[in-house]
Amino acid sequence: MSAIPPKITAIIVDDEELARTVVREHLDSHPEIEITAESANGFDAVKQISELKPDLLFLDIQMPKLNGFEVLELVEHTPAVIFVTAYDQYALKAFDVHAVDYLLKPFTRERFEEALKRALSRVGSTDSPVQDLVMEVRHQQQPLERILIKEGASVRVLPADTVDYVEAEDDYIAFHVSGKKHLKHQALSDLEQQLDPNRFVRIHRSYILNIDRISKLEPYSKDNRMAVLKDGTQLPVSRTGYDKLKGLL
Amino acid sequence: MHPILSEKRIFGLYLVVWLILGGLLALLLQSAAGVSPADAFVLAIPMALVYGFMCLASYYLCRAFPFQRYDVVRILIVHAISSALTSSLWVSIGRSWASLVSEISIFQNVEPRYSSEVPLLLTVGISTFLLSVAVNYSLIAFRDSREAERQAMQLQIHAQEAELRALRAQINPHFLFNSLNSISALTTADPSGARTMTLRLADFLRKSLSFGNKDFVAVRDEVDLATSFLEIEKVRFGPRLRVQVRIDEEAKNVLVPPLLLQPLVENAVGHGIAHLVEGGEISIAAARSGSRLRLSVENPCDPDGPRYRGHGIGIENVRSRLKTLFGPEARLETSNSPDRFRAEIELPAEDPLPATHVRQRMQV
């Protein structure tokens, strides 16, 4: 008796039932591929990808809650991805640039097989072109309007303007939103580049401040000052931070 | 028609100017020729008014000899001759007036005095005529430049309308390809559903293409097109998309520019329902109050979703079309609470076929 080769697992992510049906139908003739889940929105997709760690992902771009790129940004596990979209001029260009596999709805069986074959050849490979694509898209979508934080298997969305300040904590950054703290694995300098520079200022090595929250600035020592926020929180302001603040206030 | 005679207000102003000139002429006669004040006024005022009418002719002369087509020498000769002739004619009319007035005993000195002032009057006549020529040339130049400006603006508006016509006839590619994908999915899963969907899509495309060529459509038809669109989207979104339509009876036949509602409805689906896991209800309403019509589209949206900047091209397009077609008479307003979006158009309610209404009323 020969050993049954391990199946390739796949997740289909699309908010339209009919669109998922087409992919499912085409996969019927591939017994080596097992569909382990289907998700109809970005939140579910993040949860399922994190839990089931599929080898292959069929991913729509426009979906409720999170778009396809945001889903990929939030999951640590990156499977081989086939983007499935109807029409998205910008995305198509990016797909070609990064040699990512994609299907344009509606698509033929031949086109499906072709994309599937290429994606399968990537399964298990560590260098994925998708991460570069996600980085580029994130770069295009600046300034950041919503901050996405993965908390366990679920996703929290923080509108950027609700953030009071951000604090560096080792490998993490902490978003302070009306007294609550939300941790994300990211570098403060990386975040600084994404946020709207007219609203968020790096006032210190460890702090980015939403300038709407400032109540007053007080001298602290010879070179340093202290920012007092409207809720009474006190944050250190370095000399370069003070120069940046002066330019904006 | 002469521009001064075509408008009462301007003609009045013109007469006032000539009365003032008449006053000045009277003062000139008094001081230069020692005519008594009463004599001077009875002579100068009527003469000024008469000359005012005669000088109207200089406008036609200026039109006939524009600077752009004739050389300066020729124009000067023309105006020298015509001013001399007009002035002489005026002076002789003045003489008849002087002799007429002299019949009245208190003005009996007027006629002999007049004869001695003929050279002065001729000079005044010639210079006044030349002055009116100069004024006419500047007015014509001013009007021409205004006309050129107006034509340039007209041209711009036409170009804008053409552009908008092309834009409004455009079918949203995202919608089209997604619909085709739904059909492609239904062909195996639900063949009769695929047929229904194909027919609905054909129906929608036919209607919107025909709308592209019309200037006005009835509210009823506009809502009908939006409903066809939503029927197709319902196949895509399933139970996530729900629709409520409320059209007042008296709003149904009102005429509106076509494809005003369609971009708003597309927006409600694309930026509203499509971002909601559970979907929601789109409400379309049309109401008439007196001479105003209000069309509105309202939809729920995701408070945590990406905020769309400026609500998309569709809404901006409708706004600029309304501005081109109605100016300040129409407006599009949007209100955006965290979880609801509402767009409302207010515009003049155009009644269908006013001619038949009139005829019906006349028969009654």
Side-chain angles (χ1 to χ4, degrees), chain A residues 15-19 21-22 25 41 62-65 85-87 105-107 141-143 145-146 157 159-161, chain B residues 173-174 177-178 180-182 184-186 188-189 235-237 240 273-277 302-307 309:
Chain A
D15 63 323
E16 292 170 33
E17 164 71 34
L18 282 170
T21 305
V22 180
E25 259 181 37
N41 66 70
Q62 300 200 342
M63 285 182 297
K65 298 299 181 189
T85 187
Y87 181 84
K105 299 174 186 174
F107 43 84
Q141 284 172 345
Q142 283 166 11
E145 285 184 344
R146 334 185 280 157
V157 178
D161 52 16
Chain B
H174 205 264
F177 291 120
N178 271 314
L180 290 172
N181 194 52
S182 302
S184 157
L186 286 166
T188 50
V235 176
R236 242 180 90 195
F237 289 103
R240 282 168 66 202
I273 306 301
H275 290 286
L276 290 165
V277 174
D302 182 3
D304 291 335
R307 250 150 288 171
R309 300 186 181 94

Side-chain angles (χ1 to χ4, degrees), chain B residues 133-177:
Chain B
V133 165
V135 168
N136 272 315
Y137 272 127
S138 5
L139 285 179
I140 287 170
F142 178 69
R143 276 211 330 186
D144 284 354
S145 78
R146 272 246 299 246
E147 176 68 10
E149 220 170 86
R150 200 183 61 82
Q151 274 180 356
M153 207 147 88
Q154 200 78 34
L155 227 71
Q156 205 187 336
I157 288 172
H158 280 309
Q160 257 174 11
E161 257 298 282
E163 192 188 332
L164 290 170
R165 224 175 247 273
L167 272 175
R168 75 188 195 194
Q170 232 172 44
I171 308 287
N172 178 351
H174 205 264
F175 160 74
L176 191 60
F177 291 120

